Amino acid sequence: MGNLQAFHKKLDHLDILESEAIHIMREVAAECSNPALLFSGGKDSIVLLRLAEKAFRPAKFPFPLLHIDTGHNFPEVIYFRNKRALELGERLVVSSMEDSIRQKRVILKHPGQSRNAFQSITLLDAIAEHRFDACIGGARRDEEKARAKERIFSFRDEFGQWDPKNQRPELWDLYNARVHPGENIRVFPISNWTEMDVWQYIAREQLEIPNIYFAHKRQVIRRGNSLVPVSDLVAPLDGEKVEEISVRFRTVGDMTCTCPVESSASTYDEIINETAVTRITERGATRMDDQTSEASMELRKKEGYF
């Protein structure tokens, strides 16, 4: 008994979160017939990969990696995505929104329009094509109000839609993954993690991440409260001034709506220190499309978004 108590005393909060997430991943592998792990190359999905390694190695993952590529991703992140999948020797399935546009499944008002909100269409098409019955994602409850309503096993109906009032109880860490044909489950193993937990885990595990998460010089435009990165897709409007300042990204996504924050943090410890004192959520600070309406994320999730 004494040895057992001594063992539990050695566990810190990251060990407990890691253990819960590994348990969830193994539940998916045991209960679902054809799952996939959503991997974008972003920090949360990088953590998922490490958790999958700990859950299943030395065997291969019991699921492929799936990325919904908007065509507007940061090149540094796409490079990292491909490199990491190759290093792990795991199958990477890429579903392209460019294909959805060519098929008229996605219709944009103009070529530079943010594609973030349309990812659900490409995702649902990928789920149908590959007959995935579960998708493991890196969403966390602390990110945004709508995501705080999510269960760990989030049920989606035959249309891929999410109804927050029609979800299954999750008592005593028991999860119900039963689905009828056409239905699917979104599973969020790091639901109970915070942004701080993610960075502390990345630092503890010494995980490689895309370099845009660290402070670097970049041309930006000050637009409202946001620092909009200049790119082939985003140019200054009349009267706007291009500045080159030291920034880093807290989250990565569509280049047309994902903004960095001013920062000099170039190490894990410096990022952790910055995260400890910030009072703005990462999506509130860096995703322009999430700032347009408090209900925007919930509406997108009901349509099939992550």
Side-chain angles (χ1 to χ4, degrees), residues 85-192:
L86 187 63
E87 289 171 346
L88 288 169
E90 298 293 343
R91 182 163 69 100
L92 174 65
V93 177
V94 178
S95 291
S96 171
M97 193 176 293
E98 294 287 352
D99 292 337
S100 300
I101 294 170
R102 282 193 291 270
Q103 295 163 8
K104 306 298 183 184
R105 295 279 292 143
V106 171
I107 299 176
L108 302 175
K109 294 178 181 177
H110 54 83
Q113 182 180 357
S114 170
R115 300 181 177 186
N116 235 24
F118 300 99
Q119 290 184 76
S120 55
I121 296 172
T122 307
L123 173 61
L124 294 178
D125 287 348
I127 289 172
E129 178 186 353
H130 299 280
R131 298 185 179 181
F132 294 131
D133 59 347
C135 287
I136 304 168
R140 308 186 321 270
R141 290 181 177 134
D142 76 320
E143 287 183 89
E144 198 272 339
K145 292 178 181 178
R147 284 186 165 162
K149 298 179 182 180
E150 284 278 18
R151 301 288 171 87
I152 290 175
F153 276 57
S154 180
F155 174 75
R156 306 301 171 103
D157 65 20
E158 64 271 25
F159 301 105
Q161 296 181 331
W162 172 68
D163 180 359
K165 296 180 180 178
N166 185 28
Q167 296 297 313
R168 298 161 178 177
E170 295 180 340
L171 305 175
W172 305 294
D173 295 332
L174 297 175
Y175 306 108
N176 183 352
R178 293 181 183 176
V179 291
H180 295 294
E183 300 172 342
N184 66 88
I185 300 284
R186 307 289 170 79
V187 183
F188 305 113
I190 61 172
S191 286
N192 294 325

Side-chain angles (χ1 to χ4, degrees), residues 272-291:
I272 288 169
N273 290 338
E274 279 192 1
T275 303
V277 298
T278 187
R279 293 295 177 264
I280 303 174
T281 64
E282 63 189 275
R283 295 190 74 93
T286 63
R287 290 290 181 89
M288 289 188 291
D289 57 337
D290 286 348
Q291 298 170 19

